[in-house]
RNA sequence: GCUGGUGUGGCUCAGUGGUAGAGCAGCGCACUCGUAAUGCGCAGGUCGUCGGUUCAAAUCCGACCACCAGCUCCA
C-alpha cells in the first residue's frame, strides 16, 4: 500500500506499483493531461516513477517553474538527438534549461549555419512526431565511462570523471539517442508540441576562455503553438524598447565609428543627464555628502601605489607627459584618497563622504560593447566614505537605503548580489573575511535577499551589487557598495583619534546609478522612451492649428519657457493631426492645441501622450498641474484636482 | 579578445557581375486645416575601408574597421 499527501493536505491511498502519472490522472483528469513532472518529498521524479510508503507528493505543469525546466530540458535532449542524426560526428557537451528556453553546446566538425538550424529544427519536429519515450537507467561509473567512450563522446567522459565518487550516475534514452543526465524528463518527446531554435553562438567549454570554443544553439519551447507565438511577439515588442533604437529615434545620443564605446550625448540626452545629476546632488546633500572633482589623468606612481598598475592594467589607457608615464583614470578612488589625504582629519570629522561625478575610461574588450550599457568611458556617480571602524555598518546601511530610495523613484525592480574575493586581489584572507562579513551582516540586518557571486569582488574589496534589468530581461550591475580596508593601508591614510594618535580609517566605495550612461540606458528601456515629466527632454509641445494661430501659440510657449518648462513650438505648415502624430512618436508628455477657440477664450487644449485629449483649461491651471507633476517626480500624470 | 552573422542616402530596407532604387525624414510650392501621416515637386549615396580577380564589382575573393547575438569580462 501507498499513502500519499498532496500539497493541499489531501491524503490518497493506492496499491503499490502505481506510477506518478496514474496518480495525477486519478486526482484530476486535467492534471493527468497537463502534468510534466512530480516531486516526492521535494525531490523531482519522472512520471513513470513508482513511489511507495508514505510520501508527500507535488505535481508540476508548465505553469510551474519546475515543470517548465523539465519541459525545456527535454527539448534540449531532442535538439541533441536531431543534431546527432544530421551530423553524427558532432560531440556533445552540455544542454541545460535556462530562463526562457534551453541550449545545448556542441563540438561539430564545422560551425552550424542558419540553414543547419532550420534542418535541425525540422528534425526535432520529426522526433516529436515519433513520440519516443524517455527512458531512465542507472549505471556504474565503469559502465558509464565505457558507454560514452564507445559513443566517442569525450566531453561526457570528462563530466563522468569529475562526478563525486558517491554520485548516482544516470542516463536517459529516447529512441536511438542516449545522454548522460540526472533528469527528470517528460514521459515522451511527443509532449513538446511547439519548439523554435533561436540562435547559434560560441561558448567556451565549461565557461573558461582557455578551453575550446564550442557551438551553442539556443532554443525555446512551449506546450502550445499559441504560447510560442506570443513569446516571439513579446520579444519583438521588447526590442522596440531598446535604448539603442530609442537613442536614435528620440535623438538622445549616438555612438559613432570614430569612437567605439565612447558615446556622444545630444541636446536631448543631456537634458536627461542634467536632470539626473540635479536629483543626485539634492539627494546627496541631504545625506551629508560633499562634492569633489578629481583629474582624469594622473601620474603612474599613484596607480602603482593603489595597485591598479599591477591589478587593473589590462583595462587602462596610458599616456606620456614630458617623458613621464601617466594613466587615464579607470576609477575615482585614488583621486578621492588624495583629497582626503591633503589635510589632517580628526575622528570628530568622520565619516567624511566625498562624492564625485567622475569620468572614467576603461579598455573593455570590443565584443562586450553594448550601446550605453557597456562603454569605454562613463561617468560614475561615485563617493568614497572615510570612517571609523565602528561606523561601518551604519554607513553601509545608509547607502543601501539611498540606493533603494533612488530606484523606487523610478519604480525599478532590482536584485542584490554579494561578490567575494577574486583571484587577482590584494590583502589577506582575514581582512577579506572581515569585510565580507560586514557586508553580509548589513544585508541581513536589512532583511534583503541576495545571491552570492563568488570571486567577483573588486581587487581591493568585496562588494554588494545592485542589478537592474533591460528590455530583454538581461541584468546589468548598477549600484555597488565596496568595503575596503586595503587602500587606506596602501595610502597610509589616517585620522587623529580621541587618544591623540594616528589611526587608520576604513573606506567605502559606492555608486548609486552606477554609471550615468548605463543608468540612462536602463531608464530609457524601462520607460520605453516615455520618460516621466520631470525627466522628459521636451515636456510640452505647442501645436498651432493654422498660421494665424502662430503668434498666440508663440506667446503660450514663451510663458511656459519662463515658468521653466522645456517647451517646443511646432510652427510648420502641417495639419494638426500630423503634428500630434509626431509629438506622440517623440513621446512628448503634453501637447497644447492652439486654435481659434483657445485664442478667444484665453485657454489651452491639453493632450497627454498617454491619456489623449484632456479638454480645455486656463494656462495658469495647466502650469500648476505641470508644476505638481514635476515636483512630485510622478511616473504618470496626476489626476485633475 | 573568441564564435557566428550583418554593413547600400539622416532612418527603414530593395537591388547577387553590365549606367545605384523605394518609403519615411529634409528642402521648395500650394493647401490654412481641431486631437496619430494633405498634395505636387526638388535635392540627397566614392554601396564600411583598403587591396585583389575581371573588359566590367554594391554584387566574387582577402585583410581590416564597425555593429548585432552569445561566450569570457564589468559600472
Amino acid at each position: 500500500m501507498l499513502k500519499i499527501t498532496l500539497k493541499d493536505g489531501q491524503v490518497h491511498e493506492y496499491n503499490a506499483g502505481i506510477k506518478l502519472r496514474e496518480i495525477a490522472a486519478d486526482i484530476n483528469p486535467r492534471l493527468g493531461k497537463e502534468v510534466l513532472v512530480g516531486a516526492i518529498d521535494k525531490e523531482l521524479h519522472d512520471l513513470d516513477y513508482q513511489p511507495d510508503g508514505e510520501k508527500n507528493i507535488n505535481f508540476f505543469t508548465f505553469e510551474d517553474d519546475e515543470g517548465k525546466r523539465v519541459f525545456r530540458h527535454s527539448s534540449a535532449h531532442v535538439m541533441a538527438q536531431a543534431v546527432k542524426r544530421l551530423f553524427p560526428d558532432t560531440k556533445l557537451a552540455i544542454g541545460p534549461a535556462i530562463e526562457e528556453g534551453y541550449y545545448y553546446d556542441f563540438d561539430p566538425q564545422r560551425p552550424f549555419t542558419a540553414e543547419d538550424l532550420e534542418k535541425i529544427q525540422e528534425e526535432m519536429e520529426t522526433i516529436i512526431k515519433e513520440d519516443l519515450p524517455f527512458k531512465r537507467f542507472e549505471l556504474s561509473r565503469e559502465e558509464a565511462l565505457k558507454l560514452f567512450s564507445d559513443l566517442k563522446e569525450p566531453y561526457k567522459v570528462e563530466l563522468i570523471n569529475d562526478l563525486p565518487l558517491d554520485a548516482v550516475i544516470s542516463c536517459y534514452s529516447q529512441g536511438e539517442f542516449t545522454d548522460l543526465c540526472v533528469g527528470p524528463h517528460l514521459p515522451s518527446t511527443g509532449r513538446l508540441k511547439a519548439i523554435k531554435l533561436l540562435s547559434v553562438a560560441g561558448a567556451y567549454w565549461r565557461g573558461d576562455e582557455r578551453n575550446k570554443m564550442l557551438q551553442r544553439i539556443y532554443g525555446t519551447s512551449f506546450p502550445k503553438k499559441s504560447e510560442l507565438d506570443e513569446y516571439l511577439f513579446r520579444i519583438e515588442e521588447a526590442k522596440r524598447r531598446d535604448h539603442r533604437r530609442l537613442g536614435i529615434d528620440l535623438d538622445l545620443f549616438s555612438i559613432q565609428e570614430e569612437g567605439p564605446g565612447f558615446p556622444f550625448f545630444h541636446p536631448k540626452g543631456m537634458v536627461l543627464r542634467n536632470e539626473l545629476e540635479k536629483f543626485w546632488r539634492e539627494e546627496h546633500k541631504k545625506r551629508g555628502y560633499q562634492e569633489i572633482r578629481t583629474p582624469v589623468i594622473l601620474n603612474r606612481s599613484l596607480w602603482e601605489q593603489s595597485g591598479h598598475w599591477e591589478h587593473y592594467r589590462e583595462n587602462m589607457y596610458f599616456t606620456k607627459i614630458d617623458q613621464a608615464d601617466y594613466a587615464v583614470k579607470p576609477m575615482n578612488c585614488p583621486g578621492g584618497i588624495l583629497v582626503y589625504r591633503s589635510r589632517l582629519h580628526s575622528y570628530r570629522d568622520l565619516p567624511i563622504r566625498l562624492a564625485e561625478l567622475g569620468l572614467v575610461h576603461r579598455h573593455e574588450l570590443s565584443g562586450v560593447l553594448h550601446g550605453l550599457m557597456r562603454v569605454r568611458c562613463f561617468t560614475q556617480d561615485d563617493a568614497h566614505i572615510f570612517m571609523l571602524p565602528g561606523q561601518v555598518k551604519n554607513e553601509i546601511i545608509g547607502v543601501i537605503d539611498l540606493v533603494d530610495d533612488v530606484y523606487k523613484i523610478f519604480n525599478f525592480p532590482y536584485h542584490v548580489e554579494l561578490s567575494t574575493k577574486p583571484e587577482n586581489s590584494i590583502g589577506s584572507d582575514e581582512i577579506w573575511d572581515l569585510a565580507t562579513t560586514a557586508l553580509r551582516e548589513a544585508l541581513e540586518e536589512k532583511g534583503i535577499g541576495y545571491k552570492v557571486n563568488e570571486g567577483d569582488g573588486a581587487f581591493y574589496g568585496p562588494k554588494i551589487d545592485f542589478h537592474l534589468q533591460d528590455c530583454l530581461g538581461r541584468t546589468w550591475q548598477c549600484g555597488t557598495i565596496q568595503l575596503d580596508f586595503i587602500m587606506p593601508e596602501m595610502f597610509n591614510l589616517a585620522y587623529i583619534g580621541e587618544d591623540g594618535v594616528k589611526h587608520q580609517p576604513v573606506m567605502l566605495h559606492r555608486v548609486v546609478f552606477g554609471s550615468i550612461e548605463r543608468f540612462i540606458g536602463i531608464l530609457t528601456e524601462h520607460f520605453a522612451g516615455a520618460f516621466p515629466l520631470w525627466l522628459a527632454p521636451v515636456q510640452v509641445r505647442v501645436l498651432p492649428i493654422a498660421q494665424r494661430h502662430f503668434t498666440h501659440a508663440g506667446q503660450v510657449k514663451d510663458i511656459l519657457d519662463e515658468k521653466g518648462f522645456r517647451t517646443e513650438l511646432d510652427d510648420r505648415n502641417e495639419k494638426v493631426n500630423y503634428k500630434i502624430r509626431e509629438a506622440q512618436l517623440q513621446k512628448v508628455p503634453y501637447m497644447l492645441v492652439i486654435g481659434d477657440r483657445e485664442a478667444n477664450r484665453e485657454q489651452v487644449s491639453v493632450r497627454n501622450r498617454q491619456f489623449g485629449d484632456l479638454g480645455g483649461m486656463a494656462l495658469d491651471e495647466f502650469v500648476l498641474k505641470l508644476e505638481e507633476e514635476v515636483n512630485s517626480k510622478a511616473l504618470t500624470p496626476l489626476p485633475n484636482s
Side-chain angles (χ1 to χ4, degrees), chain A residues 353-398:
Chain A
R353 307 185 185 94
L354 297 180
E356 172 174 18
L357 291 167
L359 175 65
V360 297
H361 289 70
R362 296 184 185 174
H363 179 69
E364 300 291 344
L365 295 177
S366 60
V368 306
L369 301 178
H370 184 95
L372 291 182
M373 303 293 198
R374 193 76 184 271
V375 290
R376 284 180 173 151
C377 77
F378 53 100
T379 304
Q380 292 186 302
D381 63 317
D382 220 337
H384 297 95
I385 302 176
F386 301 88
M387 61 205 162
L388 306 171
Q391 294 170 330
V392 167
K393 197 197 269 180
N394 264 341
E395 287 303 309
I396 295 173
I397 287 174

Side-chain angles (χ1 to χ4, degrees), chain A residues 77-92 106-127 130 176-177 195 197 217:
Chain A
H77 275 230
V78 169
M79 169 156 68
Q81 182 175 21
V83 166
K84 287 298 267 187
R85 282 187 181 180
L86 296 168
F87 309 95
D89 293 331
T90 300
K91 307 298 174 212
L92 301 177
F106 302 100
D107 185 3
Q109 298 292 99
R110 59 158 177 85
F112 296 118
T113 64
E115 296 77 66
D116 293 338
L117 234 62
E118 275 172 41
K119 281 191 209 129
I120 295 165
Q121 182 167 326
E122 278 167 31
E123 193 59 39
M124 287 174 74
E125 273 150 11
T126 307
I127 294 166
E130 288 168 13
E176 81 288 355
F177 177 83
I195 53 141
L197 297 187
I217 302 181

Side-chain angles (χ1 to χ4, degrees), chain A residues 613-625:
Chain A
D613 193 350
L614 301 183
M617 61 180 82
L619 187 54
D620 292 350
E621 197 187 333
F622 178 63
V623 166
L624 285 176
K625 182 181 162 62

